[in-house]
Amino acid sequence: MDKIKNIGVLTSGGDAPGMNAAIRAVVRAAIYYELQVTGILRGYEGLINGDFISMDRKSVANIIQRGGTILKTARSDDFRTKQGRQKAYEQLKANQIDALIVIGGDGTFTGANLFVQEFNFPVIGLPGTIDNDLAGTDFTIGYDTAINTVINAVDKIRDTAESHDRLFIVEVMGRDSGLIALRSGIGAGAEAILIPEAKTGIDGLVTRLEHGRKDKASKIVIVAEGDDAGGAFKVGEVLREKFPSYDIRVSVLGHIQRGGKPTCMDRVLASRFGVAAVEGLIQGKSGEMIGQVNREIRFTPFGQAIKHINAEEISPAWLKLVEILSL
Amino acid sequence: MDKIKNIGVLTSGGDAPGMNAAIRAVVRAAIYYELQVTGILRGYEGLINGDFISMDRKSVANIIQRGGTILKTARSDDFRTKQGRQKAYEQLKANQIDALIVIGGDGTFTGANLFVQEFNFPVIGLPGTIDNDLAGTDFTIGYDTAINTVINAVDKIRDTAESHDRLFIVEVMGRDSGLIALRSGIGAGAEAILIPEAKTGIDGLVTRLEHGRKDKASKIVIVAEGDDAGGAFKVGEVLREKFPSYDIRVSVLGHIQRGGKPTCMDRVLASRFGVAAVEGLIQGKSGEMIGQVNREIRFTPFGQAIKHINAEEISPAWLKLVEILSL
Amino acid sequence: MDKIKNIGVLTSGGDAPGMNAAIRAVVRAAIYYELQVTGILRGYEGLINGDFISMDRKSVANIIQRGGTILKTARSDDFRTKQGRQKAYEQLKANQIDALIVIGGDGTFTGANLFVQEFNFPVIGLPGTIDNDLAGTDFTIGYDTAINTVINAVDKIRDTAESHDRLFIVEVMGRDSGLIALRSGIGAGAEAILIPEAKTGIDGLVTRLEHGRKDKASKIVIVAEGDDAGGAFKVGEVLREKFPSYDIRVSVLGHIQRGGKPTCMDRVLASRFGVAAVEGLIQGKSGEMIGQVNREIRFTPFGQAIKHINAEEISPAWLKLVEILSL
Amino acid sequence: MDKIKNIGVLTSGGDAPGMNAAIRAVVRAAIYYELQVTGILRGYEGLINGDFISMDRKSVANIIQRGGTILKTARSDDFRTKQGRQKAYEQLKANQIDALIVIGGDGTFTGANLFVQEFNFPVIGLPGTIDNDLAGTDFTIGYDTAINTVINAVDKIRDTAESHDRLFIVEVMGRDSGLIALRSGIGAGAEAILIPEAKTGIDGLVTRLEHGRKDKASKIVIVAEGDDAGGAFKVGEVLREKFPSYDIRVSVLGHIQRGGKPTCMDRVLASRFGVAAVEGLIQGKSGEMIGQVNREIRFTPFGQAIKHINAEEISPAWLKLVEILSL
């Protein structure tokens, strides 16, 4: 492989707070190592269409603290086709881009994996998703911000719950993974946490909510959107039947969970990843996602990263912790 | 009327940030004027049941910054009956409480009005509701905090909207009043604001959203829950038909709008009201809601206050302002 | 006077949160009324140097929520000289700018006043300063954000004060005016507030701090930087002598008070002012500052606005309020 | 050793956000395992004086989100003496307290270490300090909140720095350790970070600050209070000499860094530690600090924990990261 001279960078899939910090780090590191860096707008869609912008130090000034992504993001159907990827490859060649850094989640890396195999083109992935559902990294960029957004919202809801002695059922993001629910549920002091990884027994839930209701009538139940009990509204219906006299309310936090200023942890993680990704490309790495495991940088092949095994926290030990704390 | 010696204070109806600051001010002012002060739990329900606690300086230490209400709140069906109010009166007499300060909204003052008329018992009302829908005060306690909560949430949503070039329809509180929607919509830089006070023409909305879409594809529409177009989900449906290729999302902010730390304005307003309410009772006032009009304290009879005329901002001038700003 | 076709806009003096919202409103209103709008960088300095940028709808997209000013700001010695102002006038003429909107405080308006008199050039001022020290408006842009920044900081300090039973002396901005101190002191629940407008009697302060110390040992004293007692460190020294066994700490909040996302009130105020300023110029107004008095838009000649009479709140009634609340 | 029946819990040293979450977890876990739990007020001082309160589930309701410590904290000179510790031991015996959980930093554990050795009394330590300066844990309770408080403050300062093209020197906590400065400096996008662990060369700093000043005149330098260059004011003086025309400002963040709502990470960490500490005592552990290393719970003898070796981040790799990012 020839020496890399020009790195392309894009964000893809759902946006996550800290993506801008990652872009900034990629650009700064590229400049540090005397490489050019090209911003690609709107993810793979912009890659196929050649929506490229040249980036320098000033392009990324004053963005580390901003949510969203200045490169914009999109989901691309075209990149799922061989023709789409072929077109993307031609755009890269036509623009003298030698290597690619893609910031996103499992969909992003699935595409990147095919692309690397088909064109032998150097690509490094950065885990940018609030879901924290990638193998090969303890944390993804955006997860820490999202769980803080959740607990700040639940803190507000608890003010109301306490004042009215209400039971609130709060739905948080997580179609396949209960990680946001679990961690934010512990952080918010929830009385119960329902996640896809653990079968929800309504009877157990009812017992738990009855416990100590005389002492502390206000309760918070956190429900991951993908829980088998069927989302917060469904849980609300069931509980209203079980507790006819209880004042039960449902709140779906929704899209606020994706935005906002990134936390310090997400900014530092993204900064570290961005620099290490550039260094990885220089060292000849490709087809791998960068991650942080036990505080060290680690590279994991795309094929393994997308296997969604980040289940450490959904262990019996963590579930017991929830049980003790929500006493 | 005999000299007042013991003031009862309660919060009633939906909780609002700043209620604790108001309670604190009532307690401190009562002590300053060498009166006793009794906290009544859970609004009129607790009044009827005699859930009373004696309060002193320490009872209200370190609460000015807390959302919700330490006295808890409830809606009371019993107080709507003559018998309920009779029982409440007897509880007050039995506990040597000479006067009452009630913090709440129009339901609270409707009950208080009947109570004053029936028992000639001194009652002063404090406007505590996020809706700002009472005549006789420019601002109610909680309104400023609620609109700040909304714009902080919409700022987060805009990060995502911008990153994906999406149209977001955000529903905010306001069943009968568009005040939260109007002010937070201006503050959030919304591209359109739908309120109950103005008929929503879907055609006009479509024109407005088409305008400049090429330049700036991300848009925010704020919808008051009581808008005639039928809430955010309904608006979303209609717009999806009109813009089949537009990525349209709906977010209902819900109960987070009631909680949270009060803003400085709400803390100062509540503090001022609490002190003035005690002073009003000492001066022999009753049957009136305290308010702030043009920065001055003003008292308004309950019967007028609950007429929901706080329509200054829903004037043609404000609607034109929205039109200009959302260009 | 000829019809205005091109409005110049600048920010000058200390930056204040909400200035960007004001710039946005000026630009949008100019476009609405089919005028051109030119951004002038770095206040009067950029005006003299001809640092001009053409602005359109997109120039002000997504800035309503940002602190600081995208036009940057500066203090200009040159504009204090006749020659400097002459050069500024020539730059305006050379660039076909017919009218000027200046966003700033008393220094800004002092310069603008001379400029209007010397060149009969249309200028409208917008009050943008965290100090709220201008006559002719109840609130200046940035004040509400600044006092919220202060109370959020003091809320944090109170956590520590409570945990350690400490006395904290917190210095806030306000060289000539105690308005930030007064309002944030009430909002933060301070035990004492020291402001330039009221002579600080150390003996009275000592008595006040001794009061109830057994019940509630943690105390917060808010000091305006311009207080006659000499700033927080000086007050700390004096109190350490009076209370040798008290754990007394000093904190100077400093520059964090100028930055941050504007509150909803500041965004709405700035938006309203920006639109009304453009409308004022179109109507032929000049040499006046726009303000909000009793919720209505009002224009005040520069000469009166800079007289610093916004003393409503520094009245005996407010000082008594502080005394009652800090019991 | 007899079976433990009653656990005492105290907080000691400087308060840290998350201490309340830790207390809550200790209480809940004790109840879960059918033990009694006694709160000890004001750290070792209260232990010596017998300031004990019985705690139950309700004592710790609604505190997980609060900064500071409901048990209050203090530094105790008496506990440094043999007699003081003897008295403490007698108080524990007299009150049938069988084991102790102490939440604090190195001073706390130094005292605990002596106490365990002298009286063979079971004590487990929880790392609660914003400084993150203990060996045996990747993170201490409060560190994550503190660095987020710093970056939020610096974000505000950057608004002002940007608007005025200023250089700001911001002093953060860290007398012996640069960890807060390092991580918050990266998170805040600082142009330079001065820490005690790395010798500050003023010449290098000047070169770094001159770099790219034409493009981006606003700069932030983060200084740990214990840096060898002598604190922010001293650095400011030196830089003012080197850059006479630069507008240089100094801001000392001070005590706001200790307070505020804990972040999700601190709440989860504290919750986990609190439960594991109770379980550790039940299993017969003593004389050890609980920590989290590589996401696993680990116990470290007090003697090793207080050796301040948490220097992973003050490695050449991290310093190079700073250099690249602040380009």
Side-chain angles (χ1 to χ4, degrees):
Chain A
M1 197 182 66
D2 291 336
K3 203 163 154 283
I4 287 168
K5 287 182 200 137
N6 185 353
I7 294 176
V9 57
L10 61 82
T11 49
S12 163
D15 63 314
M19 281 184 161
N20 282 328
I23 295 166
R24 173 180 177 269
V26 166
V27 171
R28 297 264 162 112
I31 293 167
Y32 182 87
Y33 290 111
E34 301 184 336
L35 307 176
Q36 284 179 276
V37 60
T38 300
I40 298 162
L41 299 178
R42 269 173 293 276
Y44 293 135
E45 206 59 33
L47 178 56
I48 292 170
N49 297 331
D51 291 343
F52 297 165
I53 51 170
S54 179
M55 300 188 86
D56 61 15
R57 220 159 51 84
K58 276 180 70 177
S59 324
V60 293
N62 212 10
I63 67 164
I64 195 171
Q65 78 276 29
R66 305 222 192 284
T69 158
I70 60 165
L71 293 178
K72 294 184 180 264
T73 181
R75 286 184 168 86
S76 170
D77 286 333
D78 286 351
F79 200 74
R80 292 208 189 105
T81 68
K82 183 72 202 278
Q83 297 94 313
R85 291 191 296 272
Q86 177 68 38
K87 216 169 150 195
Y89 179 72
E90 285 159 15
Q91 291 280 14
L92 289 167
K93 283 292 145 190
N95 288 275
Q96 275 99 40
I97 299 173
D98 314 302
L100 210 49
I101 292 174
V102 297
I103 307 168
D106 59 348
T108 306
F109 300 152
T110 304
N113 205 20
L114 288 170
F115 190 75
V116 170
Q117 287 163 13
E118 288 167 357
F119 301 100
N120 192 26
F121 192 91
V123 184
I124 293 285
L126 253 73
T129 161
I130 63 168
D131 294 328
N132 203 28
D133 60 346
L134 291 161
T137 192
D138 290 346
F139 296 108
T140 55
I141 300 166
Y143 175 60
D144 188 58
T145 304
I147 56 179
N148 276 290
T149 299
V150 171
I151 64 167
N152 286 326
V154 178
D155 286 351
K156 288 194 213 304
I157 288 172
R158 195 176 281 284
D159 285 341
T160 282
E162 282 274 309
S163 299
H164 289 272
D165 288 337
R166 277 180 186 154
L167 166 61
F168 264 91
I169 304 163
V170 181
E171 185 175 302
V172 302
M173 285 193 171
R175 237 166 271 166
D176 307 304
S177 160
L179 280 167
I180 289 178
L182 184 72
R183 222 158 226 265
S184 66
I186 294 172
E191 272 75 18
I193 300 171
L194 310 186
I195 52 177
E197 291 86 350
K199 205 169 158 38
T200 298
I202 289 293
D203 291 346
L205 178 62
V206 167
T207 309
R208 170 175 293 269
L209 293 175
E210 253 161 6
H211 177 76
R213 199 182 140 198
K214 222 174 51 187
D215 286 351
K216 180 162 186 296
S218 77
K219 309 263 184 196
I220 306 281
V221 177
I222 301 284
V223 183
E225 57 185 331
D227 183 65
D228 61 295
F233 283 104
K234 184 73 192 149
V235 172
E237 267 175 49
V238 172
L239 291 178
R240 274 195 196 99
E241 266 177 47
K242 298 281 181 183
F243 298 104
S245 73
Y246 212 152
D247 188 0
I248 296 174
R249 303 292 166 109
V250 172
S251 188
V252 176
L253 294 187
H255 292 86
I256 58 166
Q257 294 167 81
R258 287 206 175 280
K261 294 169 64 149
T263 59
C264 194
M265 176 168 150
D266 274 331
R267 297 186 196 186
V268 172
L269 194 72
S271 298
R272 214 180 164 195
F273 282 171
V275 171
V278 170
E279 292 174 342
L281 283 174
I282 291 171
Q283 291 154 18
K285 286 188 187 297
S286 178
E288 295 185 291
M289 184 195 82
I290 202 164
Q292 180 182 287
V293 177
N294 293 343
R295 307 181 80 188
E296 294 300 324
I297 291 293
R298 186 179 298 177
F299 287 84
T300 301
F302 284 137
Q304 288 173 36
I306 60 185
K307 279 182 181 158
H308 289 274
I309 309 159
N310 187 352
E312 182 189 338
E313 290 179 9
I314 313 287
S315 66
W318 280 90
L319 298 178
K320 188 177 173 194
L321 183 65
V322 171
E323 194 192 337
I324 293 173
L325 292 168
S326 61
L327 199 71
Chain B
M1 196 182 65
D2 291 337
K3 205 164 154 277
I4 286 167
K5 287 181 200 138
N6 185 353
I7 294 177
V9 57
L10 62 80
T11 49
S12 164
D15 63 313
M19 280 183 161
N20 280 330
I23 295 165
R24 173 180 176 268
V26 166
V27 171
R28 297 264 162 111
I31 293 168
Y32 181 86
Y33 291 110
E34 301 184 337
L35 307 176
Q36 284 179 276
V37 59
T38 301
I40 299 161
L41 299 178
R42 270 172 293 277
Y44 293 135
E45 206 60 32
L47 177 57
I48 292 170
N49 297 330
D51 291 343
F52 297 165
I53 52 169
S54 179
M55 301 189 84
D56 60 16
R57 220 159 51 84
K58 277 181 70 178
S59 323
V60 293
N62 212 10
I63 66 165
I64 194 171
Q65 78 276 31
R66 306 222 192 284
T69 157
I70 61 166
L71 292 178
K72 293 183 181 265
T73 181
R75 287 185 167 86
S76 171
D77 286 333
D78 285 352
F79 200 73
R80 293 208 187 106
T81 67
K82 183 70 203 279
Q83 298 94 311
R85 292 191 295 272
Q86 177 69 39
K87 217 171 151 195
Y89 178 72
E90 284 158 15
Q91 290 281 14
L92 289 166
K93 283 291 144 191
N95 288 274
Q96 276 98 40
I97 299 173
D98 313 303
L100 209 51
I101 291 173
V102 298
I103 307 169
D106 60 347
T108 307
F109 300 152
T110 304
N113 205 21
L114 288 169
F115 191 75
V116 170
Q117 287 164 12
E118 288 167 358
F119 301 101
N120 192 26
F121 191 91
V123 183
I124 293 283
L126 254 72
T129 162
I130 63 168
D131 294 328
N132 203 28
D133 61 346
L134 290 161
T137 191
D138 290 345
F139 297 107
T140 55
I141 301 166
Y143 175 61
D144 188 58
T145 304
I147 56 178
N148 276 290
T149 300
V150 171
I151 65 167
N152 286 326
V154 178
D155 286 351
K156 289 194 213 304
I157 288 172
R158 195 176 281 284
D159 285 340
T160 281
E162 281 274 310
S163 299
H164 289 271
D165 288 338
R166 275 179 187 155
L167 166 60
F168 264 92
I169 305 163
V170 181
E171 186 175 302
V172 303
M173 285 194 171
R175 236 166 272 166
D176 306 304
S177 159
L179 279 167
I180 289 178
L182 183 72
R183 223 159 226 264
S184 65
I186 295 172
E191 273 74 19
I193 303 171
L194 311 185
I195 53 176
E197 291 86 348
K199 205 169 157 38
T200 298
I202 288 293
D203 291 346
L205 179 62
V206 167
T207 308
R208 171 175 293 269
L209 293 175
E210 254 162 6
H211 177 76
R213 199 183 140 198
K214 221 172 52 187
D215 286 351
K216 180 163 187 294
S218 76
K219 310 261 183 196
I220 306 281
V221 177
I222 302 284
V223 183
E225 59 184 330
D227 183 65
D228 61 293
F233 282 105
K234 184 73 194 149
V235 172
E237 267 176 48
V238 172
L239 290 178
R240 274 197 196 98
E241 265 177 48
K242 299 279 181 184
F243 298 103
S245 72
Y246 212 154
D247 189 359
I248 297 174
R249 303 292 167 108
V250 172
S251 188
V252 176
L253 294 188
H255 292 87
I256 57 166
Q257 295 168 79
R258 287 206 175 281
K261 295 170 62 148
T263 59
C264 195
M265 175 166 150
D266 274 331
R267 298 186 195 186
V268 172
L269 194 72
S271 299
R272 216 180 163 195
F273 282 170
V275 171
V278 170
E279 292 174 342
L281 283 174
I282 291 171
Q283 291 155 16
K285 286 187 189 297
S286 179
E288 295 185 292
M289 184 195 83
I290 202 164
Q292 180 182 288
V293 177
N294 293 345
R295 308 181 78 189
E296 295 299 325
I297 291 293
R298 186 178 301 178
F299 286 84
T300 301
F302 285 139
Q304 289 174 34
I306 59 185
K307 280 184 181 155
H308 290 271
I309 308 159
N310 188 350
E312 183 189 338
E313 289 178 11
I314 315 286
S315 65
W318 280 91
L319 298 179
K320 188 178 172 193
L321 183 65
V322 171
E323 194 192 338
I324 293 173
L325 292 168
S326 61
L327 199 70
Chain C
M1 197 182 64
D2 292 336
K3 206 164 153 280
I4 287 168
K5 287 182 200 136
N6 185 353
I7 294 176
V9 58
L10 61 81
T11 49
S12 162
D15 63 314
M19 281 184 161
N20 281 329
I23 295 166
R24 173 180 177 269
V26 166
V27 171
R28 297 263 163 113
I31 293 168
Y32 182 87
Y33 290 110
E34 302 184 335
L35 307 176
Q36 283 179 278
V37 60
T38 301
I40 298 161
L41 299 178
R42 269 172 293 276
Y44 293 134
E45 206 59 34
L47 177 56
I48 291 170
N49 297 331
D51 291 343
F52 297 164
I53 52 170
S54 179
M55 301 189 86
D56 60 16
R57 219 160 52 83
K58 277 180 69 178
S59 324
V60 293
N62 212 9
I63 65 164
I64 195 171
Q65 78 276 30
R66 305 223 193 284
T69 159
I70 60 165
L71 293 178
K72 293 183 181 263
T73 181
R75 287 186 168 85
S76 170
D77 286 333
D78 285 352
F79 199 74
R80 293 210 187 104
T81 67
K82 183 74 201 278
Q83 298 93 313
R85 292 191 295 273
Q86 177 69 39
K87 214 168 153 198
Y89 179 73
E90 284 157 16
Q91 290 282 12
L92 290 167
K93 283 292 145 190
N95 288 274
Q96 275 98 40
I97 299 173
D98 314 303
L100 209 50
I101 292 174
V102 296
I103 307 169
D106 58 349
T108 307
F109 300 153
T110 303
N113 205 19
L114 288 171
F115 190 74
V116 170
Q117 286 164 11
E118 288 167 356
F119 301 100
N120 192 27
F121 192 91
V123 183
I124 292 284
L126 253 73
T129 161
I130 63 168
D131 294 327
N132 204 27
D133 60 347
L134 291 161
T137 191
D138 290 345
F139 296 108
T140 56
I141 300 166
Y143 175 60
D144 189 59
T145 305
I147 57 179
N148 276 289
T149 300
V150 171
I151 65 167
N152 286 326
V154 178
D155 286 352
K156 289 194 213 303
I157 288 172
R158 195 176 280 285
D159 285 341
T160 281
E162 282 274 309
S163 299
H164 289 272
D165 289 338
R166 276 181 186 153
L167 166 61
F168 264 92
I169 304 164
V170 180
E171 185 175 302
V172 302
M173 285 193 172
R175 237 166 272 165
D176 306 304
S177 159
L179 279 167
I180 289 178
L182 183 72
R183 224 161 224 263
S184 66
I186 294 172
E191 272 74 19
I193 302 171
L194 310 186
I195 53 176
E197 291 86 349
K199 204 168 160 40
T200 297
I202 289 293
D203 291 346
L205 178 62
V206 166
T207 308
R208 170 175 294 269
L209 293 175
E210 252 161 8
H211 177 76
R213 200 183 139 197
K214 220 172 54 187
D215 286 352
K216 181 164 186 295
S218 78
K219 309 262 184 197
I220 306 281
V221 177
I222 302 284
V223 183
E225 58 184 331
D227 183 64
D228 60 294
F233 282 104
K234 183 74 193 149
V235 172
E237 266 175 50
V238 173
L239 290 178
R240 274 197 196 99
E241 264 176 49
K242 298 281 181 183
F243 298 105
S245 73
Y246 213 153
D247 189 359
I248 296 174
R249 303 293 167 109
V250 172
S251 188
V252 176
L253 294 187
H255 292 86
I256 58 167
Q257 294 168 81
R258 288 208 173 278
K261 294 169 63 147
T263 59
C264 194
M265 177 168 148
D266 274 331
R267 298 186 196 187
V268 172
L269 195 71
S271 298
R272 215 181 163 193
F273 282 170
V275 171
V278 170
E279 292 173 342
L281 284 175
I282 291 172
Q283 291 155 17
K285 285 186 188 299
S286 178
E288 295 184 291
M289 183 195 83
I290 203 164
Q292 181 181 287
V293 177
N294 292 345
R295 307 182 79 188
E296 295 300 324
I297 291 293
R298 186 178 298 177
F299 286 84
T300 301
F302 285 138
Q304 288 174 35
I306 58 184
K307 279 182 183 158
H308 290 275
I309 308 160
N310 188 352
E312 183 189 338
E313 290 180 11
I314 313 286
S315 65
W318 280 90
L319 298 179
K320 188 177 173 194
L321 183 66
V322 171
E323 193 191 339
I324 293 173
L325 292 168
S326 60
L327 199 70
Chain D
M1 197 182 63
D2 290 337
K3 206 164 153 280
I4 286 167
K5 286 181 200 137
N6 185 352
I7 294 177
V9 57
L10 61 81
T11 49
S12 163
D15 64 313
M19 282 184 161
N20 281 329
I23 295 166
R24 173 180 176 269
V26 166
V27 170
R28 297 264 162 111
I31 294 167
Y32 182 86
Y33 290 110
E34 301 184 336
L35 307 176
Q36 285 180 276
V37 59
T38 300
I40 298 161
L41 299 178
R42 271 172 292 277
Y44 293 135
E45 205 59 32
L47 177 56
I48 291 170
N49 297 331
D51 291 342
F52 297 165
I53 52 170
S54 180
M55 300 189 85
D56 60 16
R57 219 159 51 83
K58 277 180 70 178
S59 324
V60 292
N62 212 11
I63 65 164
I64 195 172
Q65 77 276 32
R66 306 224 192 282
T69 158
I70 61 166
L71 292 177
K72 293 184 182 264
T73 181
R75 287 185 168 85
S76 171
D77 286 333
D78 285 352
F79 200 74
R80 293 210 188 104
T81 67
K82 184 71 203 280
Q83 298 94 309
R85 292 191 295 273
Q86 177 67 39
K87 217 170 151 195
Y89 179 72
E90 283 158 17
Q91 290 281 14
L92 289 166
K93 282 292 145 190
N95 288 274
Q96 275 99 41
I97 299 172
D98 314 302
L100 209 51
I101 291 174
V102 297
I103 307 169
D106 59 349
T108 307
F109 300 152
T110 303
N113 205 20
L114 288 170
F115 191 74
V116 171
Q117 287 164 12
E118 288 167 356
F119 301 101
N120 192 26
F121 192 92
V123 184
I124 293 284
L126 254 73
T129 161
I130 63 168
D131 294 328
N132 203 28
D133 60 346
L134 291 161
T137 192
D138 290 345
F139 297 107
T140 55
I141 300 166
Y143 175 60
D144 188 58
T145 304
I147 57 178
N148 276 290
T149 300
V150 171
I151 65 167
N152 286 326
V154 178
D155 286 352
K156 288 194 214 303
I157 288 172
R158 195 176 280 285
D159 285 341
T160 282
E162 282 273 310
S163 299
H164 289 272
D165 289 337
R166 276 180 187 155
L167 166 61
F168 264 91
I169 304 163
V170 180
E171 185 175 301
V172 302
M173 286 193 170
R175 236 165 274 167
D176 306 303
S177 159
L179 279 166
I180 289 178
L182 184 72
R183 226 163 223 262
S184 66
I186 294 173
E191 273 74 18
I193 303 171
L194 310 186
I195 53 177
E197 291 86 349
K199 204 168 157 41
T200 297
I202 288 292
D203 291 346
L205 178 61
V206 166
T207 309
R208 171 175 293 270
L209 293 175
E210 253 161 6
H211 177 75
R213 199 183 141 198
K214 219 172 55 185
D215 286 351
K216 182 164 186 295
S218 78
K219 310 262 183 197
I220 306 282
V221 176
I222 302 284
V223 183
E225 58 185 330
D227 183 64
D228 60 294
F233 282 105
K234 183 74 193 148
V235 172
E237 266 176 50
V238 173
L239 290 178
R240 275 198 195 99
E241 264 177 48
K242 299 281 181 183
F243 298 103
S245 72
Y246 213 153
D247 188 359
I248 297 174
R249 303 292 167 110
V250 172
S251 187
V252 176
L253 294 187
H255 292 87
I256 58 167
Q257 294 168 79
R258 288 208 174 277
K261 295 170 62 149
T263 59
C264 194
M265 176 167 150
D266 274 330
R267 298 186 196 186
V268 172
L269 194 73
S271 299
R272 215 180 164 196
F273 282 170
V275 171
V278 171
E279 291 174 343
L281 283 174
I282 291 170
Q283 291 155 18
K285 286 186 188 299
S286 178
E288 295 185 292
M289 184 195 82
I290 203 163
Q292 180 182 288
V293 177
N294 292 345
R295 306 182 79 189
E296 295 300 325
I297 290 293
R298 186 178 300 177
F299 286 84
T300 301
F302 285 138
Q304 288 173 35
I306 59 184
K307 281 184 182 157
H308 290 273
I309 309 159
N310 188 351
E312 183 188 339
E313 289 179 11
I314 313 286
S315 65
W318 280 90
L319 298 179
K320 188 178 173 193
L321 184 65
V322 171
E323 193 192 338
I324 293 173
L325 291 168
S326 61
L327 200 69

